[in-house]
Amino acid sequence: MSTKTFYNLPVQKQNRIIEECFKEFALHDYQQASVTRIVKKLGIAKGSIFQYFGSKKELYKFLINYAGQKKLEVSKKMLESEIDDFFEWYKKVYSYGIKFDLKYPLYSGFLYNVVRERNYEDVEAFRIDSKTQVFEFIESVLKEQQLKGKIRTDISINALAFIFYQAHTGVFDYLAYVHKVDFRENIKQGKPLFSVTEEQINELLDEFTSILKSGMQKQQQ
Amino acid sequence: MSTKTFYNLPVQKQNRIIEECFKEFALHDYQQASVTRIVKKLGIAKGSIFQYFGSKKELYKFLINYAGQKKLEVSKKMLESEIDDFFEWYKKVYSYGIKFDLKYPLYSGFLYNVVRERNYEDVEAFRIDSKTQVFEFIESVLKEQQLKGKIRTDISINALAFIFYQAHTGVFDYLAYVHKVDFRENIKQGKPLFSVTEEQINELLDEFTSILKSGMQKQQQ
DNA sequence: ATTTAAAATGACTTGGTAGTCACATTCGTT
DNA sequence: AACGAATGTGACTACCAAGTCATTTTAAAT
């Protein structure tokens, strides 16, 4: 299915449609998201959206690529930069993630859902793909750091990468929990997913980094 | 809705029904799980299941309580025991979780789904409840350990509790990832969720614990 | 103004769901 | 055996979903 017809649309209409789709898929998982509801809200015919994207599944893929592209744009420079101090770099990765959320709350909310999507029959495969990519990237960075002697050699990179991955996907849950934020409500109202100050973010990052760096155990004096 | 009629059934039939329900809800999330499919597989009338449990939602709640009860049974002694060495205790908590899985793979697989359920309108509330309970338990243990001087005082218990919670719910994902296990396939075939040796489990626990205990940073010699 | 191609439309099909309820069957008690 | 209560049944309702497609509308080209 080509999205030729869609791209012939006036850019403004394209954006309206995209926004509404993101909203629907940010508020519901794949299965519960309804194309019928999207077209009703947009006031366009049902046939149109299928003309533009072919099927619900292809629409979903389109949105993943679209949001992924935006995310890449924001974090590209950061990902390419040399890693001097690993933990400082790691903090930066986080804060970029949070900046992306502040800039594109809808895409961020959508990706939050994608990562947690568990609809095996239909779309689990895309999710696994993107997970593997992120995972392997983390692994490669950690291996490099281990070679440089920055990381203990008696723990498996696998386990470590997993902790990082978990922390990475879990940071939003943590913020939601601590600051009692209701993502869905904010998405509904077109607000940013959460409102935290730069300070609060840094505090959080310092804590997480410190735990991972030196452990939680009280040092003997 | 009372489950009186259900409990009047021969125990064997009760168990058959419960097993099939767990299977359905372990293989699908709340929304995609189908009562129609359950009754078809059981070869009983649709009306019966509604007579037993009232509604899909109440059936779901019943299953949560049922599996939760079983889990409690397995881990009760462990949870009540004095915490001598925290990290050893923590390892025990994990291994009990894994033992529960080996003993009751179906319930374990079901609870895996419950924790990840994101169907806000219907059942998210139960999930939040159980999450808060686990979370607060972890927090209380950590606070106690901090008072005993076993844990650094310069990191927030909140953040730490979150890492533990994440690790707790994530350990199955990790095992699935590392050992390339397909939970769903195993559930379908009535097998345990995964087959790992005691050794492999201990290795894993040692790694995770070690990272959390002393951090990932290479110590200066 | 006419022709033609592209785009928009929404009633319709197909297939799924949870839940209902009038009726049939079974079971325990007198 | 007869009665009455408890239990089992499955066709049925009401609903909503994705996707289709003959028809209409719009826009562009001649």
Side-chain angles (χ1 to χ4, degrees):
Chain A
M1 182 67 199
S2 94
T3 47
K4 184 180 152 289
T5 309
F6 178 68
Y7 285 120
N8 284 345
L9 255 42
V11 178
Q12 224 174 342
K13 193 176 181 189
Q14 283 181 36
N15 288 338
R16 251 192 81 228
I17 291 169
I18 289 175
E19 291 299 288
E20 199 54 55
C21 290
F22 271 118
K23 209 165 175 175
E24 181 67 18
F25 282 96
L27 285 170
H28 308 93
D29 65 30
Y30 177 77
Q31 195 65 224
Q32 284 183 262
S34 156
V35 177
T36 308
R37 201 156 41 203
I38 290 171
V39 296
K40 268 185 193 162
K41 279 197 181 176
L42 283 169
I44 64 172
K46 199 167 185 182
S48 294
I49 209 115
F50 284 96
Q51 189 151 58
Y52 300 153
F53 301 105
S55 69
K56 185 183 180 183
K57 203 163 157 181
E58 279 170 293
L59 168 59
Y60 190 69
K61 275 195 217 178
F62 174 88
L63 295 174
I64 290 180
N65 286 337
Y66 191 94
Q69 200 57 43
K70 291 279 177 189
K71 184 138 196 179
L72 205 65
E73 273 172 31
V74 169
S75 47
K76 206 178 175 188
K77 274 179 222 143
M78 183 270 304
L79 289 175
E80 281 170 351
S81 68
E82 263 301 301
I83 300 167
D84 184 35
D85 180 295
F86 172 73
F87 292 98
E88 286 310 311
W89 173 83
Y90 177 58
K91 277 190 219 172
K92 228 191 247 172
V93 173
Y94 259 114
S95 65
Y96 267 83
I98 289 162
K99 271 177 201 155
F100 175 76
D101 175 80
L102 290 172
K103 198 167 175 185
Y104 304 111
L106 215 47
Y107 307 157
S108 177
F110 168 74
L111 290 175
Y112 176 92
N113 267 6
V114 170
V115 170
R116 286 160 182 78
E117 181 60 49
R118 290 177 318 115
N119 189 310
Y120 283 65
E121 273 73 30
D122 287 314
V123 289
E124 170 77 352
F126 317 150
R127 195 185 68 78
I128 299 269
D129 269 3
S130 80
K131 178 172 177 170
T132 306
Q133 263 182 37
V134 173
F135 204 94
E136 282 174 0
F137 174 70
I138 297 173
E139 270 189 326
S140 75
V141 172
L142 289 173
K143 266 182 201 152
E144 196 190 311
Q145 290 299 310
Q146 205 177 40
L147 280 176
K148 283 189 184 168
K150 309 268 183 157
I151 291 175
R152 288 165 60 185
T153 48
D154 59 334
I155 46 177
S156 86
I157 290 298
N158 246 335
L160 202 50
F162 195 78
I163 289 180
F164 272 84
Y165 179 80
Q166 286 278 105
H168 189 76
T169 58
V171 71
F172 287 102
D173 291 312
Y174 180 71
L175 285 166
Y177 182 81
V178 171
H179 295 97
K180 306 252 176 289
V181 176
D182 185 340
F183 288 167
R184 281 176 195 245
E185 203 45 47
N186 290 342
I187 289 169
K188 269 187 200 162
Q189 295 175 15
K191 287 188 200 166
L193 289 200
F194 54 86
S195 48
V196 248
T197 66
E198 195 98 7
E199 248 173 70
Q200 285 175 310
I201 291 171
N202 286 332
E203 205 178 303
L204 168 75
L205 294 181
D206 285 338
E207 267 175 2
F208 271 102
T209 315
S210 169
I211 293 169
L212 286 171
K213 191 175 183 177
S214 318
M216 55 187 272
Q217 192 177 224
K218 190 157 191 175
Q219 303 297 323
Q220 316 294 358
Q221 37 246 28
Chain B
M1 182 63 200
S2 92
T3 46
K4 183 181 154 288
T5 309
F6 177 68
Y7 285 121
N8 285 345
L9 256 41
V11 178
Q12 223 174 343
K13 193 176 183 189
Q14 283 181 36
N15 288 338
R16 251 192 80 226
I17 292 171
I18 289 176
E19 291 300 287
E20 199 55 54
C21 291
F22 271 118
K23 208 164 174 176
E24 181 67 18
F25 282 96
L27 285 171
H28 307 94
D29 64 32
Y30 178 77
Q31 196 63 228
Q32 283 182 265
S34 156
V35 177
T36 308
R37 201 156 38 202
I38 291 171
V39 295
K40 267 185 194 161
K41 280 197 181 175
L42 283 169
I44 64 171
K46 200 167 185 183
S48 294
I49 209 117
F50 285 95
Q51 189 152 58
Y52 301 153
F53 301 104
S55 69
K56 185 183 182 184
K57 203 164 158 180
E58 279 170 292
L59 168 59
Y60 189 69
K61 274 195 218 178
F62 174 88
L63 295 174
I64 290 180
N65 287 335
Y66 191 94
Q69 200 58 43
K70 290 280 178 190
K71 183 140 197 178
L72 205 65
E73 272 172 32
V74 170
S75 46
K76 207 177 175 189
K77 273 178 226 150
M78 184 269 303
L79 289 175
E80 280 169 353
S81 69
E82 262 302 301
I83 301 166
D84 185 37
D85 181 294
F86 173 73
F87 293 98
E88 285 310 311
W89 174 82
Y90 177 59
K91 276 188 217 172
K92 228 191 249 174
V93 174
Y94 259 114
S95 66
Y96 268 84
I98 289 162
K99 270 177 203 157
F100 175 76
D101 175 78
L102 290 173
K103 197 167 176 186
Y104 304 112
L106 216 45
Y107 308 157
S108 178
F110 168 75
L111 291 175
Y112 176 92
N113 266 7
V114 171
V115 171
R116 286 159 182 79
E117 181 60 49
R118 291 180 313 117
N119 189 309
Y120 282 66
E121 274 73 29
D122 288 314
V123 289
E124 171 76 355
F126 319 149
R127 195 186 68 79
I128 298 269
D129 269 3
S130 80
K131 176 171 177 170
T132 306
Q133 264 182 38
V134 174
F135 204 94
E136 282 173 2
F137 174 70
I138 296 173
E139 269 189 326
S140 75
V141 172
L142 289 173
K143 265 181 202 151
E144 197 191 311
Q145 291 300 308
Q146 205 175 40
L147 280 176
K148 284 190 184 168
K150 309 269 184 154
I151 291 176
R152 287 164 61 183
T153 48
D154 60 331
I155 46 177
S156 85
I157 290 297
N158 246 336
L160 201 51
F162 195 78
I163 289 180
F164 272 83
Y165 179 80
Q166 286 278 106
H168 189 76
T169 57
V171 70
F172 287 102
D173 291 313
Y174 180 71
L175 285 166
Y177 182 82
V178 171
H179 295 97
K180 308 251 174 290
V181 175
D182 186 339
F183 287 168
R184 281 178 194 245
E185 203 45 45
N186 289 343
I187 288 170
K188 268 186 201 162
Q189 296 176 14
K191 288 189 201 166
L193 290 199
F194 54 86
S195 50
V196 249
T197 66
E198 195 99 5
E199 248 174 72
Q200 285 175 310
I201 290 170
N202 287 332
E203 205 179 304
L204 167 74
L205 294 181
D206 285 338
E207 268 175 3
F208 271 102
T209 315
S210 170
I211 293 168
L212 286 171
K213 191 175 182 176
S214 318
M216 54 186 273
Q217 192 177 224
K218 191 157 188 173
Q219 304 298 323
Q220 318 292 359
Q221 39 247 31

